[in-house]
Amino acid sequence: MDQNALKEQTGKESVKYIKSGMIVGLGTGSTVKYMVDELGKQVQEGKIKDIIGVTTSNRTAKQARDLGITIKDIDDVDHIDLTIDGADEISDDFQGIKGGGGALLWEKIVANVSNKVMWIVDESKLVHKLGAFPLPVEVIPFGSQHVFDRLEKKGYKPTWRMDGDEKFRTDENNYIIDLHLGEIDDPKALADELIHMVGIVETGLFLNRVNDVIVGTPEGPKVLHAR
Ligand code: 5RP
């Protein structure tokens, strides 16, 4: 099975965890796209009723609205029952790198107010240690070249996330710098160091954030319980 088929499998499977009446956090990315398609279908068929979606990107908001899913602003709900999102890497101890799609800041804010977080991934995303996937860091544009230079001096091998010839802009109009670290020995220490650098708004290190993971495999979806 190719990677897209596994993404579709896990995306569809995750909709089984969405019950009528829930407030659901809708993540971002190609795996989540399959989940939102299936959710929209079940809403249209009346199988899932009265759900409210809170999205982690403008992209997902448009897709969900087009499918007839009710979307509310995060500040217009007092909690989120379950957030379903993708991930770029998940280590043996269920720590994650996210932000490959550039939505890490809203994704972390939505995860923070969610009672439960589920990640949906194909099996290629499971790794022993984090770091082969470049770690995204969201920076405000003002003074961002200085942040980039500091990251370079620290040996973190930064590159600008590009969108054609222009620097990629997040939904908050920020830039993303990707750090090519290879292997991250101490994700918590790195997250603490980066978040304290002035100009960095958020990092793609999602530590102790996930409850359950659904992994798409050729043998069918597997559920892993993190905590
Ligand atoms: C977007 C993300 C995505 O969830 C992550 O990049 C996985 O994406 P995909 O399902 O397309 O592989 O963090 O910011």
Side-chain angles (χ1 to χ4, degrees):
M1 275 172 102
D2 74 358
Q3 195 184 19
N4 268 328
L6 297 179
K7 287 182 179 199
E8 184 171 3
Q9 177 199 99
T10 178
K12 283 187 170 166
E13 179 71 13
S14 66
V15 176
K16 293 183 182 162
Y17 295 80
I18 303 177
K19 306 291 174 208
S20 292
M22 274 187 169
I23 304 176
V24 189
L26 304 174
T28 296
S30 54
T31 316
V32 164
K33 196 163 182 290
Y34 288 117
M35 180 271 286
V36 174
D37 276 341
E38 178 65 21
L39 178 61
K41 186 167 158 263
Q42 296 202 24
V43 166
Q44 284 166 25
E45 289 168 356
K47 291 184 182 154
I48 299 177
K49 294 186 177 59
D50 303 323
I51 61 148
I52 290 166
V54 175
T55 59
T56 57
S57 63
N58 290 331
R59 248 174 303 163
T60 302
K62 181 173 182 338
Q63 185 199 359
R65 281 204 180 94
D66 287 350
L67 290 166
I69 299 169
T70 305
I71 298 300
K72 277 199 178 180
D73 188 275
I74 188 164
D75 285 330
D76 293 332
V77 298
D78 59 2
H79 74 285
I80 294 171
D81 294 297
L82 169 68
T83 285
I84 301 177
D85 203 348
D88 297 301
E89 272 188 352
I90 306 174
S91 61
D92 289 344
D93 54 353
F94 294 101
Q95 309 303 343
I97 289 182
K98 288 181 47 51
L104 61 141
L105 177 57
W106 287 13
E107 287 174 338
K108 203 173 274 188
I109 292 170
V110 168
N112 239 16
V113 293
S114 299
N115 295 342
K116 275 203 147 198
V117 174
M118 172 181 276
W119 286 343
I120 51 175
V121 293
D122 66 86
E123 59 185 357
S124 72
K125 307 285 186 72
L126 301 183
V127 297
H128 177 49
K129 262 184 161 182
L130 299 177
F133 190 89
L135 174 67
V137 169
E138 183 155 345
V139 294
I140 62 163
F142 185 84
S144 57
Q145 186 59 50
H146 293 277
V147 177
F148 186 99
D149 293 346
R150 281 187 70 191
L151 291 167
E152 195 152 59
K153 278 202 192 102
K154 284 175 181 282
Y156 292 163
K157 300 193 177 87
T159 53
W160 291 106
R161 178 87 55 97
M162 301 301 289
D163 184 5
D165 291 341
E166 307 269 299
K167 285 185 184 131
F168 174 88
R169 293 278 188 163
T170 69
D171 282 340
E172 290 291 344
N173 221 16
N174 292 321
Y175 294 146
I176 288 188
I177 297 174
D178 291 304
L179 307 181
H180 299 259
L181 301 165
E183 212 171 73
I184 301 172
D185 285 327
D186 188 342
K188 178 159 185 337
L190 180 63
D192 285 347
E193 180 194 1
L194 293 172
I195 205 66
H196 287 107
M197 285 176 67
V198 176
I200 291 181
V201 182
E202 196 45 88
T203 81
L205 282 166
F206 280 57
L207 307 181
N208 305 322
R209 301 270 163 178
V210 72
N211 299 99
D212 299 309
V213 178
I214 304 186
V215 188
T217 81
E219 296 77 43
K222 282 192 188 141
V223 182
L224 309 176
H225 301 289
R227 60 191 167 111

